Amino acid sequence: AGRASNAAKFIHQNYAVLEEETATGRGAHLVTVLNILDCNKTSHGKIINDVRMNFADQVGAGVSTDEAYFNNLMNVIEGSYSSQCQTT
């Protein structure tokens, strides 16, 4: 399985914790999912911040699910950080 598939499985299995860590902006599970996607450590903070902003909108709209979280993360990476991460 590719990195994106592994990240999706990790998010599905750890969504409740990721939800909490995303709200605070830090945590071991956030780092783990970014490591699964081989994201450069120097970009972690910026990626997490961008994911947090979108996540707050998802929660506000009532669409906070593990699938929405994965799509949010991948959209952030592919939109702004594709050179810092390896999603395949």
Side-chain angles (χ1 to χ4, degrees):
R3 294 181 202 276
S5 175
N6 290 339
K9 288 176 191 167
F10 182 82
I11 290 167
H12 178 71
Q13 293 166 346
N14 298 282
Y15 181 65
V17 176
L18 280 165
E19 204 172 26
E20 291 174 23
E21 291 182 0
T22 301
T24 64
R26 59 185 157 294
H29 290 78
L30 286 173
V31 172
T32 298
V33 78
L34 294 177
N35 286 339
I36 290 170
L37 295 169
D38 200 22
C39 294
N40 188 311
K41 291 190 186 345
T42 60
S43 65
H44 283 196
K46 292 177 183 176
I47 294 170
I48 291 167
N49 192 50
D50 289 357
V51 168
R52 281 183 78 199
M53 288 191 301
N54 296 337
F55 181 70
D57 292 341
Q58 289 176 331
V59 170
V63 291
S64 54
T65 64
D66 58 338
E67 183 178 1
Y69 189 95
F70 172 77
N71 291 334
N72 173 16
L73 175 63
M74 296 306 289
N75 288 337
V76 165
I77 288 172
E78 290 167 7
S80 303
Y81 303 96
S82 59
S83 64
Q84 284 102 6
C85 302
Q86 300 296 321
T87 58
T88 56

